[in-house]
Amino acid sequence: MGSRHRQRPPKMAAILRRLEGLDRKAQGWLLKADQYMKGEEFEKAIPFLEAVVVHSEPFPRLQQILWELLGDAQMAVGKCKKASVCYLRHHAHSRALGDPRGVARAECNLGISYMQLGLLKLAGRSFMQYLSNSRRLGDARGV
């Protein structure tokens, strides 16, 4: 998935241990998606990620992670427009959760997806916001 600067979201098995109330079917889909993502079989992971997104609305942190992973999978298979929508959702969840690092990752990913779509003004704005947040976070690598 390129040379994007970001940390990998936590492994799905670790997330599941912290979630109570997510039904067994959704847990199975999540583990299957994780398996496909690890094997870089992104096209196969997408339907499972989409299914879990629908069934995990009561879990905002999981929603945040899922939207980022779904965006990553869409980018990996060349669906940049779909990826940008996922990254916008990731951005919104990160903001709502008060996660500045998540917001910065979403802005970087948005910039990349917009650039791939030829939306250079939007890409530039996203990258400038990413730069600003990286400075604020003291993230020298991001700067």
Side-chain angles (χ1 to χ4, degrees):
M1 282 179 278
S3 62
R4 286 183 291 172
H5 166 67
R6 65 182 194 82
Q7 296 174 346
R8 270 302 282 164
K11 300 278 189 242
M12 288 301 128
I15 294 167
L16 284 175
R17 278 187 234 113
R18 289 186 271 146
L19 289 176
E20 291 184 24
L22 185 64
D23 66 60
R24 288 272 184 219
K25 188 182 283 188
Q27 289 179 15
W29 293 333
L30 196 54
L31 290 172
K32 196 70 171 164
D34 188 45
Q35 179 183 19
Y36 285 130
M37 293 291 283
K38 286 178 187 172
E40 297 187 10
E41 297 180 85
F42 303 107
E43 193 73 51
K44 291 180 180 178
I46 290 170
F48 291 102
L49 291 169
E50 290 173 337
V52 179
V53 163
V54 171
H55 286 86
S56 65
E57 286 187 20
F59 304 97
R61 175 74 177 123
L62 179 57
Q63 286 277 306
Q64 178 196 28
I65 292 165
L66 287 170
W67 283 112
E68 183 177 13
L69 289 172
L70 189 53
D72 291 349
Q74 297 287 6
M75 282 293 286
V77 298
K79 296 179 181 175
C80 300
K81 189 172 184 177
K82 286 184 177 186
S84 69
V85 172
C86 295
Y87 293 140
L88 281 170
R89 297 294 299 264
H90 175 238
H91 189 269
H93 282 282
S94 296
R95 269 194 190 285
L97 290 167
D99 178 2
R101 292 195 186 282
V103 169
R105 278 195 318 274
E107 289 162 345
C108 181
N109 289 334
L110 274 167
I112 293 167
S113 63
Y114 289 152
M115 190 171 56
Q116 292 294 318
L117 290 166
L119 303 171
L120 301 183
K121 283 186 180 181
L122 286 174
R125 285 185 201 146
S126 295
F127 288 137
M128 292 304 293
Q129 193 61 44
Y130 173 65
L131 176 62
S132 174
N133 284 332
S134 292
R135 285 183 177 143
R136 193 171 319 125
L137 292 167
D139 182 358
R141 187 173 174 199
V143 172

